[in-house]
């Protein structure tokens, strides 16, 4: 699994609870516990396409 942000290559941050976030690539909103330390989020669908 990729442990860095697909947008800026910064480390990922794992939250204790889900937050609704907007994907930086497709702008779809999704609940997640993972974003980068700079606040970027990539949804599961876009993340799968980019790997």
């Amino acid at each position: 699994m990729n442990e860095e942000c697909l947008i800026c290559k910064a480390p990922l941050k794992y939250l204790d609870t889900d937050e609704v976030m907007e994907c930086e690539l497709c702008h779809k909103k999704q609940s997640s516990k993972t974003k980068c330390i700079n606040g970027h989020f990539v949804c599961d669908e876009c993340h799968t396409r980019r790997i």
Side-chain angles (χ1 to χ4, degrees):
M1 185 164 134
N2 194 353
E3 294 293 323
E4 65 182 24
C5 178
L6 293 176
I7 305 299
C8 69
K9 306 298 184 206
L12 298 180
K13 176 165 106 173
Y14 298 96
L15 309 172
D16 292 328
T17 57
D18 282 351
E19 285 184 14
V20 176
M21 300 180 211
E22 184 175 331
C23 179
E24 295 287 333
L25 302 175
C26 73
H27 303 287
K28 180 174 96 176
K29 293 187 179 176
Q30 178 181 319
S31 291
S32 180
K33 290 182 181 172
T34 308
K35 61 184 174 182
C36 87
I37 60 171
N38 295 318
H40 298 121
F41 168 72
V42 177
C43 73
D44 293 340
E45 188 176 326
C46 289
H47 189 259
T48 300
R49 270 190 266 148
R50 300 277 304 219
I51 291 179

